[in-house]
Amino acid sequence: MTQYIYIASPMRLPVGSFGERPVSPEQPNVFRDELDFTHLYFENNYDSDSKQRYTYSSHFSYKHQVAADANQIPLRSDMKGTAKEKKCLGILYSYLEEAIQHSGMIEYFTSWNSEEDLALSKKRHVRWIDIKDPYDLVLDDREFLRITLWDINAYGITDSQE
């Protein structure tokens, strides 16, 4: 099975490949090495055939969602500190930072393929300011983060209202 990361937002999220560094624009499929090829590809939850959105997980609150194969993003128990891992976590950090600046709130979740609707192992709320390093984004399987620019408790929002 494949581990995936999922992101949901009240605003549209960018899709496509992030992090690839080809040799040149004229040779977009040629890379100096494997690290330059290492990237994350975000796909949205829109089926162009049926022209409808679907949800990656019943745990999400927002309709705009993306998913990416997380083969280079470790689970908390599998961190190795490899160059590919660091690069992909850096890409994810930049992607989430842009999304949170745009929408003010996102949901971030990881699970094995076909286990997206199973019970969560952990659910947490964090403020983006508290995520200091890309490794702060490493989760356990089926861990769910709600990330905001502000402290939602200051606005009287409780977990039951989330």
Side-chain angles (χ1 to χ4, degrees), residues 47-61:
D47 183 344
S48 57
D49 291 337
S50 68
K51 297 185 182 353
Q52 293 184 332
R53 288 196 182 282
Y54 55 90
T55 187
Y56 284 119
S57 172
S58 59
H59 301 293
F60 281 135
S61 306

Side-chain angles (χ1 to χ4, degrees), residues 96-160:
L96 291 177
E97 182 173 41
E98 184 177 318
I100 194 77
Q101 294 299 329
H102 184 65
S103 68
M105 178 180 296
I106 58 171
E107 296 170 332
Y108 167 53
F109 171 63
T110 188
S111 81
W112 292 102
N113 187 36
S114 78
E115 296 184 357
E116 298 88 356
D117 292 325
L118 294 179
L120 298 174
S121 64
K122 187 186 299 182
K123 183 177 183 180
R124 297 184 293 138
H125 167 252
V126 296
R127 293 177 306 153
W128 182 252
I129 196 169
D130 296 326
I131 298 176
K132 307 282 188 205
D133 179 271
Y135 275 89
D136 292 338
L137 297 171
V138 175
L139 304 176
D140 290 320
D141 183 37
R142 293 194 324 272
E143 184 173 354
F144 186 99
L145 287 184
R146 174 164 282 178
I147 305 171
T148 59
L149 280 177
W150 60 88
D151 183 1
I152 60 175
N153 293 327
Y155 294 91
I157 298 172
T158 64
D159 285 337
S160 63

